Amino acid sequence: MNASTKLALGAAAMALTVGGAVAVSSASAEPHHAARAAATTTAWAKVSASGQFLGVQGITGTVNHFGNGRYNITTTSNINNCALLGTINTNGGSDPGPGSSSILVGQVNANTIFVRTATPSAGGNAAVDSDRPFSISIVCL
């Protein structure tokens, strides 16, 4: 048992003796911390409701806007094992639809992202799937 392990065990025993809480202190936590530090946003895009890039990094080609609220986006790198994040944006400061809005971001293949935007609480004859401005981020280790 090395000195730092003895010190950690002693501190934990003392904290328990005086009724304190013990934080997890383990050498095995260090590799996880290193992995978190290595995660980076490898690509991102801000897209208009009509499917035009308003800002982009790490994504090639164009947005394929193929139906109400449906978009495919091609990336420059393999996105397997990456986190895909998305959010609905306002349309220049104004919300284009009534009520709530939603976004679904999924992976089609190793280089393509599918985005679906909707306005579930739209009134009248409005379709649930609706063209909405959005942003996506791709975060990989």
Side-chain angles (χ1 to χ4, degrees):
M1 189 179 306
N2 65 30
S4 64
T5 302
K6 288 180 185 177
L7 182 60
L9 289 174
M14 183 174 283
L16 290 174
T17 302
V18 294
V22 178
V24 175
S25 175
S26 169
S28 66
E30 290 178 20
H32 297 290
H33 176 70
R36 281 191 298 252
T40 60
T41 300
T42 57
W44 62 267
K46 184 174 181 179
V47 179
S48 71
S50 64
Q52 302 299 310
F53 284 126
L54 301 174
V56 64
Q57 178 179 317
I59 296 176
T60 59
T62 59
V63 178
N64 178 12
H65 181 209
F66 61 93
N68 283 344
R70 294 172 185 265
Y71 310 83
N72 277 345
I73 301 171
T74 304
T75 67
T76 56
S77 59
N78 186 314
I79 57 173
N80 290 331
N81 302 314
C82 297
L84 306 175
L85 310 166
T87 187
I88 298 290
N89 295 333
T90 60
N91 193 14
S94 64
D95 188 353
S100 65
S101 60
S102 67
I103 185 169
L104 167 83
V105 180
Q107 185 174 348
V108 175
N109 58 42
N111 299 86
T112 306
I113 298 170
F114 169 72
V115 176
R116 179 180 176 195
T117 59
T119 307
S121 61
N125 295 327
V128 171
D129 289 336
S130 60
D131 295 343
R132 303 294 300 261
F134 63 91
S135 293
I136 59 165
S137 295
I138 303 167
V139 181
C140 304
L141 290 179

